[in-house]
Amino acid sequence: NSWVGYSKFLHMLRSDLFPIWDSHIAGALGFKMYSTNRSGIYANYFHWCHFHVLPSYGKELARLDRGILEDTTEIRRLEFAIFIAYQHI
């Protein structure tokens, strides 16, 4: 069982709903690598994305809808922002 794999599969089916969960996202959010494959952590991440981040920062994330992120979902823009932040840690 791999929640990383599940999240990527679900994201391919519904990229507007399911965020990808992997070591880059987990690291950017301060999780240890061993905890990336726990279902409760993915459920909490899903909830955090949809009920905290997107309602609060949706307008800011919409500004990323240019260039390479043109015509992408809010979830994809959020993942990109977290990934870029992780690269600068």
Side-chain angles (χ1 to χ4, degrees), residues 10-68:
L10 292 170
H11 183 78
M12 287 189 325
L13 295 176
R14 290 281 312 269
S15 62
D16 62 319
L17 181 61
F18 295 102
I20 290 175
W21 176 250
D22 62 13
S23 60
H24 295 289
I25 299 295
L29 297 176
F31 288 95
K32 303 284 186 208
M33 293 305 125
Y34 69 85
S35 64
T36 59
N37 247 351
R38 293 176 44 208
S39 63
I41 291 178
Y42 180 72
N44 288 340
Y45 173 62
F46 179 94
H47 186 271
W48 178 75
C49 288
H50 284 284
F51 297 103
H52 297 284
V53 178
L54 293 179
S56 299
Y57 298 100
K59 289 181 183 178
E60 286 83 0
L61 291 170
R63 294 182 191 152
L64 295 174
D65 192 16
R66 296 184 188 99
I68 61 170

Side-chain angles (χ1 to χ4, degrees), residues 77-88:
R77 291 189 292 270
L78 173 59
E79 292 166 345
F80 179 78
I82 294 171
F83 181 77
I84 292 300
Y86 178 69
Q87 298 302 310
H88 296 287

